[in-house]
Every structure is written in structure tokens, then in C-alpha cells.
Amino acid sequence: MSPIISVSGLSKVYGSGFKALNNINLDIARGEIFALLGPNGAGKTTLISIVCGITNPSTGSVTVGGHDINGDYRAARSLIGLVPQELHTDAFESVWDTVTFSRGLFGKPKNPAHIEKVLKDLSLWDKKDSKIITLSGGMKRRVMIAKALSHEPKILFLDEPTAGVDVELRKGMWEVVRALQASGVTIILTTHYIEEAEEMADRIGVINKGEIILVEDKATLIQKLGSKRLTLELQAKLDEIPAALAPYNLALAEGGQQITYHYDTKGDRTGITSLLSDLRTAGIRISDLDTEQSSLEDIFVSLVKRS
Ligand SMILES: Nc1ncnc2c1ncn2[C@@H]1O[C@H](COP(=O)(O)OP(=O)(O)OP(=O)(O)O)[C@@H](O)[C@H]1O
Ligand SMILES: [Mg+2]
């Protein structure tokens, strides 16, 4: 199926001359939850703002539901709900009015039943007549989500939806997002909580200094997480791995002074015992060993450091 969002060759140079995005190419599949990770200033909000038509791209093109965001702005924008990173709501309006007004902005006919459902899903129903100013930070954030859902968008952007939201509420939001996905909405979220990406996303993208440096299925990443690495320091330098040890897929490093072995911690057996005994048989002596497990966080940190 064709992607619901297609970004190609997208770059952004701000008026200050700062290049915030450099040649971004990214397709978002219909119905997926895509998590965009990256350090502060990486370009996440800039990318979202361009797709949502708030910021102009410098070069490149974006289509949303097949509509070009420049040529066919209205059609593209009507498919999108955006929960921006910065909270801004009219403090003295009631929850009900502000959410109803948001729907009106998209030229959609009134639909009180839909607004009621959205407020109930977000546990805001008992606050519907409260002025925004009287709500807590977490409640205000949920009002922003309600506003973004008011016009029944097909795509929802959540720019750090759970920043400053307590653990319980955060889990509640994850459920709301999952329910939205089940109803056919495509979701793109940014987060600084790796755990959130692990929990929610079908795919994970990492952006750093304006460039996408990784896009991968979460399942593939998790598989990498489930694997551990055993490093063996050798007493004597080795020119090559003996053929008898081929089944272990060993790698030789540090100029033949080190062997690394990957094994699955979730498997029935790690193969370490037989590896050690086969090494001994092959006459390879070990001076030291070490094991290491990578987490999504490690992968993220090392990716960002490297680039
Ligand atoms: N209007 C602007 N004019 C000039 N530079 C800008 C503007 N908006 C953002 N930038 C710069 O572009 C870069 C990317 O900013 P952006 O807000 O997209 O980052 P981010 O990944 O969303 O970061 P965070 O995790 O802190 O929200 C930053 O260096 C920022 O200072
Ligand atoms: Mg941001």
C-alpha cells in the first residue's frame, strides 16, 4: 500500500542560516505508530511542523494522503491532527468550547457526540465545563490531544505527548493512542522516553543534527536487544578463526587478539559452554572475558554519539 506520508529530499534552512534538516527521506505507512527519537535540537519539531504546514520547507517535497502539502494544503492539513510540543490554549475558555472550536476551524459540521467521546476517552468528561486555566499540566496536555482529535484526523502527530505527565496518566495515554491506532489512525510521536518508544512504536526512527540516522522495525531492534555479546581476550594472536569453530559465527578483532561471540539470551541455550570447550580443543587460550548487553538506550546513545 502507498505510504500515508511521504517525505523526500526535505531540507530546512532557517532565516538565521541554520540548517535544521538535511535531505530527509521518510515514508510513514498507513496505520502504523512511528516513534521519532533524537536529542534536543535534532530537528524533530521542525520536521513535524513542515509536514503539518506550519513551517515552510527550503527544498524537497512532502505528500500527505497523496496531497502535496504546498499545492494541496487544505486537503493535506485536514487529514492531520497535531498535538504541539508547546502548550497553548485559551486559558479562560472551557474545555468543551475550546475542543468544539478546534473542530470548527477545519470547517467540519458540529458533532457533539464525537466531542463527547473524545473527552470521555481522555478522562476529561468531568472537566468539560472547567476553564482551561484551572486544570493541571497533565490535564492541559490531554486537552491538547482532544483538540487535535476534534476533526477526526486520519493522522495524529504527538510532539512529546507525555512530557511532564505522571506515570499512571502516561500509561492511560498509551492506551488512548493504541485505541486510536485500532480505529485506523496513523500516529507519529516524538519522545525522550526510550521506554515509551519501546512500548508503543511499530517502527522507530532516530534523527540527529537534522539527519535521519536509523529507521527500523521495533521488533528488529528488540531482537538486537535480546542478544548479548561475549568478548574473549586471547593469550596469543590469531590469524584466522579455525574452520571447526565456524558454526559460532565468531568475529576476530583487535588485530587477532580478541574474539567476539553473539548469543541470544532468550534462547534455550547460549552455546557458551560448548564454545569454551571447542576453543580449548582448538588450542586457543583465553586470558580474559567480558559480556555486554545492549539496550535500546545504548543503541540510541551510541548512534547519536557516532554521527
Ligand atoms: N524558528 C527558528 N529559527 C531558527 N532556528 C530554529 C528555529 N526553530 C528551531 N530552530 C533550530 O533548529 C534546530 C532544531 O530544532 P527543533 O525544535 O526541530 O528540535 P527538536 O528535535 O524538536 O528538539 P527538542 O527535543 O528540544 O524538542 C535547533 O537547533 C533549533 O535551535
Ligand atoms: Mg521538539
Side-chain angles (χ1 to χ4, degrees):
M1 216 193 308
S2 60
I4 194 159
I5 296 175
S6 186
V7 176
S8 94
L10 184 72
S11 296
K12 173 67 184 177
V13 180
Y14 278 111
S16 59
F18 180 79
K19 192 165 201 178
L21 293 177
N22 184 21
N23 191 26
I24 301 285
N25 294 289
L26 180 66
D27 281 349
I28 302 293
R30 218 167 280 268
E32 75 173 327
I33 298 182
F34 186 90
L36 192 58
L37 304 178
N40 287 136
K44 304 179 294 295
T45 299
T46 302
L47 177 57
I48 289 176
S49 301
I50 291 174
V51 177
C52 294
I54 295 165
T55 301
N56 289 322
S58 302
T59 56
S61 66
V62 180
T63 62
V64 175
H67 307 287
D68 184 86
I69 55 158
N70 282 326
D72 213 352
Y73 171 80
R74 270 177 183 280
R77 189 62 183 86
S78 71
L79 296 175
I80 297 174
L82 167 65
V83 181
Q85 184 169 11
E86 305 295 334
L87 297 176
H88 44 75
T89 44
D90 192 340
F92 298 102
E93 251 187 333
S94 73
V95 170
W96 177 270
D97 287 350
T98 196
V99 175
T100 303
F101 178 70
S102 287
R103 180 179 172 91
L105 283 180
F106 284 89
K108 289 244 173 170
K110 282 198 160 54
N111 185 348
H114 174 66
I115 306 290
E116 179 174 339
K117 180 176 185 314
V118 166
L119 292 181
K120 284 184 171 162
D121 285 350
L122 289 162
S123 313
L124 283 170
W125 186 240
D126 59 331
K127 297 284 177 192
K128 70 179 167 44
D129 298 318
S130 304
K131 288 195 171 69
I132 309 280
I133 196 171
T134 66
L135 303 180
S136 76
M139 290 173 194
K140 283 184 190 140
R141 201 163 277 282
R142 280 179 285 150
V143 172
M144 299 298 288
I145 299 179
K147 283 174 62 148
L149 293 174
S150 64
H151 63 289
E152 299 160 75
K154 290 273 170 278
I155 304 163
L156 182 64
F157 282 94
L158 297 160
D159 199 352
E160 295 186 36
T162 60
V165 172
D166 73 44
V167 178
E168 202 175 324
L169 267 181
R170 185 175 299 163
K171 295 201 164 143
M173 275 193 192
W174 293 349
E175 265 166 42
V176 171
V177 170
R178 273 196 208 98
L180 281 169
Q181 182 187 35
S183 74
V185 177
T186 304
I187 292 135
I188 297 101
L189 61 93
T190 74
T191 180
H192 286 284
Y193 303 108
I194 306 275
E195 181 208 353
E196 186 159 271
E198 254 182 289
E199 174 75 27
M200 299 292 304
D202 299 309
R203 273 197 312 155
I204 292 178
V206 178
I207 183 168
N208 190 35
K209 295 180 189 152
E211 296 188 4
I212 300 254
I213 52 178
L214 168 118
V215 175
E216 190 125 59
D217 277 342
K218 184 185 65 183
T220 312
L221 274 174
I222 297 287
Q223 225 171 10
K224 289 182 183 165
L225 304 185
S227 85
K228 271 184 122 177
R229 189 171 69 182
L230 171 67
T231 306
L232 303 165
E233 299 290 339
L234 308 181
Q235 282 182 9
K237 193 170 154 299
L238 203 63
D239 290 330
E240 57 178 356
I241 307 279
L245 298 171
Y248 295 103
N249 278 324
L250 302 174
L252 209 50
E254 300 291 322
Q257 210 67 57
Q258 207 179 63
I259 284 176
T260 53
Y261 170 59
H262 290 268
Y263 61 97
D264 188 356
T265 50
K266 291 173 185 145
D268 292 343
R269 47 183 53 206
T270 61
I272 292 175
T273 317
S274 60
L275 171 65
L276 292 178
S277 117
D278 288 351
L279 283 169
R280 177 188 284 269
T281 309
I284 299 172
R285 301 257 169 269
I286 294 155
S287 60
D288 197 7
L289 56 80
D290 190 21
T291 67
E292 221 183 333
Q293 167 130 43
S294 51
S295 66
L296 181 52
E297 195 142 345
D298 295 334
I299 294 178
F300 175 66
V301 169
S302 72
L303 271 172
V304 167
K305 234 190 259 160
R306 220 182 300 150
S307 62

